[in-house]
Structure formats: C-alpha cells, structure tokens
Amino acid sequence: RRITVTVALVATLTEITTNVQAYLALNRPYDPSLSVATTPVDAANSSASGIDPNISVANADIQAHRIAAVRHLSLSIVDQLISQHTLGRGLGFSGEPGVDVLELNLALNRMTGGH
C-alpha cells in the first residue's frame, strides 16, 4: 500500500512540475516576473474532469498579458473583459471568484474577429 501511495505522489508531483513549467514557458515571455511561486494553483493542478469552465482571477490576470499581445489589444481592454466575465463565489459565499473562460473567449473573438 505504501508503494502505491508513493508512486501516486511522485506521479502527481511530476505532473504539477510539468504543468508549471509549461505555464511559465507560455506566459513568461509576456511577463518575465513570473515564477514558480507566482503560478496560480489552478495552473499547476489538472482538473479532475478536464472541463472546468472557470479559471482563477489570478490565472486570468497572468494570461492577460499574452492574450493582449496575441490578439493585438491593449492590456486594459483585456483586463476590462476579464472583470466583466468574473463570476462571484458559488452561492455568494463558497469558493473563490472565477473567470468564465468560454464567455471571455467569445467576447474576445467578437472584439477581434476570432483572431
């Protein structure tokens, strides 16, 4: 039993490390100050379902730099869209606010013609 737990823990840590490195590689060119310590938890962990519709506000704020550059928008416009698509806590008190990625991407597509 102990070996199974250890193998699972090593696999989880390997996956988290891989996720963080990929996240930093993708976003650090647009924000060189990013580090392992500033990587949001939802960028490091994999979703149990793989289809979570929301990301944390911290995660969206980091990605905003890349999205603004790639879509040729100002950072302030992307930040404004993130704010408009940020949902409150579940039932008004549970969990953390999250950004509805689907709706945000649809709004970005409408603004940029899908590019």
Side-chain angles (χ1 to χ4, degrees):
R1 178 123 175 107
R2 182 172 259 174
I3 292 172
T4 302
V5 171
T6 302
V7 169
L9 180 59
V10 169
T12 299
L13 291 173
T14 300
E15 181 179 7
I16 289 170
T17 300
T18 301
N19 291 347
V20 169
Q21 293 307 315
Y23 185 82
L24 292 174
L26 183 63
N27 291 292
R28 199 180 269 158
Y30 304 97
D31 185 356
S33 69
L34 293 179
S35 68
V36 171
T38 61
T39 301
V41 171
D42 61 322
N45 290 334
S46 295
S47 157
S49 66
I51 55 170
D52 289 342
N54 301 334
I55 61 173
S56 67
V57 175
N59 194 344
D61 287 344
I62 289 170
Q63 292 187 55
H65 296 271
R66 176 174 46 85
I67 300 308
V70 169
R71 291 194 182 243
H72 307 289
L73 295 170
S74 71
L75 182 57
S76 63
I77 288 175
V78 175
D79 286 341
Q80 181 180 18
L81 288 171
I82 289 170
S83 292
Q84 290 172 0
H85 294 90
T86 297
L87 309 171
R89 298 172 185 270
L91 302 174
F93 65 89
S94 176
E96 295 298 320
V99 177
D100 185 325
V101 175
L102 175 61
E103 291 300 325
L104 175 58
N105 282 334
L106 291 172
L108 286 163
N109 285 345
R110 284 190 296 274
M111 186 167 276
T112 63
H115 297 95

